[in-house]
Amino acid sequence: MGTTSSVASPIVLRGVPVVPGVQYAPVIRVSRLPEIQVPAGDIDEADRPAEAGRFAAAATEVATRLRDRAAHATGAASEVLAATATLAQDRAWIGAADKRIAAGAPAVRAVSEAVDQFVDLFTQLGGLMAERVTDLRDIRDRVIAELSGLPEPGVPLPDIPSILFAEDLAPADTAGLDPQLVVGLATTLGGPTSHTAIIARQLGIPCVVAVSGLDSVAAGAMVLLDGTAGTVTTDPDPTAAAKDVAAAQRNALAARQWTGPGATADGHTVAILANVQDGAAAKAARETPAEGVGLFRTELCFLNRDTEPTVEEQAAIYGEVLEAYAGHKVVVRTLDAGSDKPLKFAGHPDEANPALGVRGIRIAEGNPGLLAHQLEAVAAAGKATGNQPWVMAPMIATAAEAKSFAAKARSHGLTPGVMIEVPAAALLADKILDHVDFLSIGTNDLAQYTMAADRMSADLAALTDPWQPAVLALVEMAARAGAAAGKPVGVCGEAAADPLLAAVLVGLGVTSLSMAPAAIAAVGSRIAQVTLQQCRAAAEAVLATGSAAEAREAALARLS
Ligand code: PEP
Ligand code: MG
């Protein structure tokens, strides 16, 4: 017979780690709009213009407040708030609400129905549009609160440092967070690229997303949130929790003191590089110890363009990144258009399943000019700046594609490589390396295609976790092929930004790690604290596991 105890035993809830760091604090929750009683009947025709005026004033007030907060925030937080303010005044949903008011609906009902209409549409469109659904619902609740004379819904201001639980956080919630008081974040929904994740990264608040079971934890309960392991532990042993927090603080201190270059404790060099999307980001990355750029996502420069930028225009943009990293390695990726990053001028066909469709290098088949112009621009930028970059193609699936790309890149005097994002390319990495000079593993897409799970889906986030041993087995194959050919193999997906996983990648044979600049110090300092032998032992142990959670535990046991 078991003994009874008044102390609840700890429960470990698992999610997807987004921002590293460990915190032990009480839970607070986002306040939501209370149930509003909407009058069922229509309003008199004579009163409709006034109701339309009330609605316009409320929407404007909400947008103005968001814009005000954007002006007081910085960086990504400011951009996210400004984008939400713009959405608050978007003519499409405002027009839909106006129409309903003109037909007799009270403003609250009109807002609710109009937003529902667009939520359905965005959800059907999927991808990046589906991620905006949280933003739209947030705007709806704020406008309804304003119309109803209620306080604005959102995050409460805690008196003591607390961990915020939510279903998903709207940009306006996350952007206003005070990292001194909200010391951890856990959400039920959201993926690693959701707004919650972007802002948490910027503010450096330890964060785990897609956690199931958060609803069962009461506000005020003490929890241990581990943004590296991706766990939330309820009712942990307070002494053990305090020890974990202290160890994480030591890691954070080591990160602040790390100045590069990348190497293990026993001197095995691993280049630590930055992922950037334009010249401004490259300049910002220079403030970190990053030794170069491992991934320049060129398509992000042109998401709003209707027409193809000229060669000169492209060369000027690429030149900014090359100049920021003069004398250092820069890897330019050719346009990765399609799927969640459509480019208007790439002429994407209508496809039932764009992630498996004409994207990345496949665009060049139907539109060879696009690739030719881009390579010409990259080469021109190299000449103009005196920093000749490496160039790589996304979404390579066959050795023939690699061969064709390499020939084109070499004809412009560029050093060619390809991304390993498709399992077929990892399996035949040795054949691909017959043609190119380096590989760069995109673990975001590699996980998506290995696990047959949409990387944008919060429901499938546990499958697209880069700790999945099947994904890491493919990384090992590519790294082994690189070692045999004597050619470098880097990782530039989100996996490289996880300090513990980065050490495992080194053990798997990866020669460089490229990541969001915010992750550079934590990754570089973690690699500096472990030996190559420890990394190899962790890699071997991880490959012997059967799940992402076991893989993390196996690595932790050998690397801490
Ligand atoms: C990846 O797939 O891991 C990658 C780095 O490319 P992107 O995230 O831009 O698709
Ligand atoms: Mg990719």
Side-chain angles (χ1 to χ4, degrees):
M1 218 170 86
T3 53
T4 52
S5 161
S6 60
V7 181
S9 52
I11 297 172
V12 181
L13 307 173
R14 293 189 187 281
V16 177
V18 170
V19 179
V22 178
Q23 294 289 352
Y24 176 55
V27 171
I28 51 164
R29 288 180 180 279
V30 173
S31 70
R32 291 288 165 223
L33 192 67
E35 200 66 34
I36 305 267
Q37 290 304 324
V38 184
D42 284 354
I43 47 177
D44 288 345
E45 198 148 356
D47 296 333
R48 291 177 197 172
E51 190 70 348
R54 229 165 60 78
F55 163 59
T60 306
E61 176 59 28
V62 166
T64 307
R65 255 187 246 140
L66 288 165
R67 224 171 275 120
D68 261 10
R69 289 170 64 186
H72 290 99
T74 55
S78 172
E79 281 165 29
V80 163
L81 284 164
T84 313
T86 306
L87 190 60
Q89 297 219 285
D90 183 82
R91 286 226 298 277
W93 84 265
I94 297 257
D98 274 335
K99 232 190 207 161
R100 284 174 167 80
I101 295 171
V108 167
R109 194 170 84 215
V111 168
S112 176
E113 288 176 0
V115 167
D116 282 353
Q117 175 192 335
F118 283 89
V119 162
D120 288 348
L121 181 71
F122 282 17
T123 307
Q124 274 164 25
L125 287 172
L128 284 180
M129 296 309 281
E131 289 213 344
R132 300 288 84 83
V133 162
T134 302
D135 311 13
L136 259 183
R137 289 196 174 122
D138 175 57
I139 288 164
R140 173 196 64 196
D141 290 354
R142 284 171 201 273
V143 173
I144 290 179
E146 183 65 28
L147 282 166
S148 314
L150 292 166
E152 210 170 15
V155 179
L157 203 61
D159 301 329
I160 53 167
S162 302
I163 293 175
L164 179 62
F165 279 14
E167 193 169 63
D168 196 4
L169 287 167
D173 293 331
T174 35
L177 292 180
D178 176 351
Q180 304 296 323
L181 287 174
V182 175
V183 295
L185 287 174
T187 61
T188 316
L189 303 178
T193 51
S194 61
H195 271 141
T196 302
I198 293 168
I199 300 291
R201 255 184 225 117
Q202 188 201 342
L203 295 174
I205 302 177
C207 174
V208 187
V209 297
V211 190
S212 43
L214 289 183
D215 288 349
S216 59
V217 186
M222 291 300 285
V223 296
L224 179 74
L225 178 139
D226 187 332
T228 305
T231 54
V232 175
T233 308
T234 62
D235 296 307
D237 170 58
T239 316
K243 252 170 107 181
D244 286 354
V245 172
Q249 281 167 350
R250 277 197 305 278
N251 281 339
L253 182 65
R256 280 198 292 279
Q257 291 169 343
W258 185 76
T259 52
T264 58
D266 53 338
H268 171 75
T269 58
V270 183
I272 305 289
L273 308 166
N275 291 351
V276 304
Q277 71 280 8
D278 55 23
K283 278 195 202 108
R286 279 316 300 256
E287 305 297 317
T288 74
E291 296 157 56
V293 170
L295 169 63
F296 174 11
R297 289 182 163 104
T298 56
E299 68 281 355
L300 298 187
C301 303
F302 308 120
L303 288 180
N304 299 325
R305 295 289 301 249
D306 292 337
T307 54
E308 183 187 353
T310 64
V311 169
E312 293 70 28
E313 224 177 313
Q314 291 189 52
I317 292 171
Y318 306 153
E320 285 178 32
V321 173
L322 291 171
E323 244 162 37
Y325 269 96
H328 295 266
K329 174 170 164 176
V330 173
V331 184
V332 179
R333 179 173 74 183
T334 57
L335 296 173
D336 185 20
S339 190
D340 56 328
K341 293 177 286 193
L343 289 181
K344 288 209 183 93
F345 58 86
H348 300 290
D350 253 348
E351 295 173 309
N353 201 342
L356 298 180
V358 182
R359 61 165 294 202
I361 193 65
R362 300 169 184 182
I363 301 269
E365 186 66 31
N367 193 347
L370 217 51
L371 178 60
H373 300 155
Q374 191 175 21
L375 291 174
E376 192 183 333
V378 173
K383 277 206 190 81
T385 58
N387 185 9
Q388 199 65 337
W390 291 9
V391 65
M392 66 182 178
M395 285 295 295
I396 290 288
T398 67
E401 287 170 355
K403 184 179 179 187
S404 158
F405 175 76
K408 290 181 185 123
R410 286 191 214 284
S411 75
H412 287 277
L414 296 164
T415 302
V418 297
M419 291 197 69
I420 300 291
E421 298 175 289
V422 179
L427 291 164
L428 295 188
D430 55 341
K431 306 280 187 298
I432 286 175
L433 281 164
D434 286 343
H435 307 290
V436 297
D437 293 353
F438 69 95
L439 302 178
S440 184
I441 305 172
T443 45
N444 309 335
D445 276 314
L446 187 60
Q448 157 164 270
Y449 296 124
T450 304
M451 306 306 294
D454 184 346
R455 63 190 269 190
M456 307 303 288
S457 162
D459 292 344
L460 303 180
L463 284 176
T464 46
D465 185 340
W467 279 93
Q468 285 289 349
V471 177
L472 296 174
L474 290 170
V475 169
E476 193 269 343
M477 285 194 77
R480 186 149 33 89
K487 294 180 179 178
V489 177
V491 168
C492 63
E494 287 298 308
D498 171 345
L500 187 66
L501 184 49
V504 172
L505 296 173
V506 171
L508 291 171
V510 159
T511 57
S512 66
L513 298 162
S514 193
M515 66 210 74
I520 297 273
V523 170
S525 69
R526 189 64 179 255
I527 300 289
Q529 290 170 48
V530 292
T531 63
L532 179 58
Q533 190 44 43
Q534 268 181 296
C535 294
R536 285 186 175 148
E540 197 181 324
V542 159
L543 289 180
T545 64
S547 73
E550 283 168 22
R552 262 194 202 95
E553 270 157 34
L556 260 179
R558 283 154 187 89
L559 292 165
S560 48

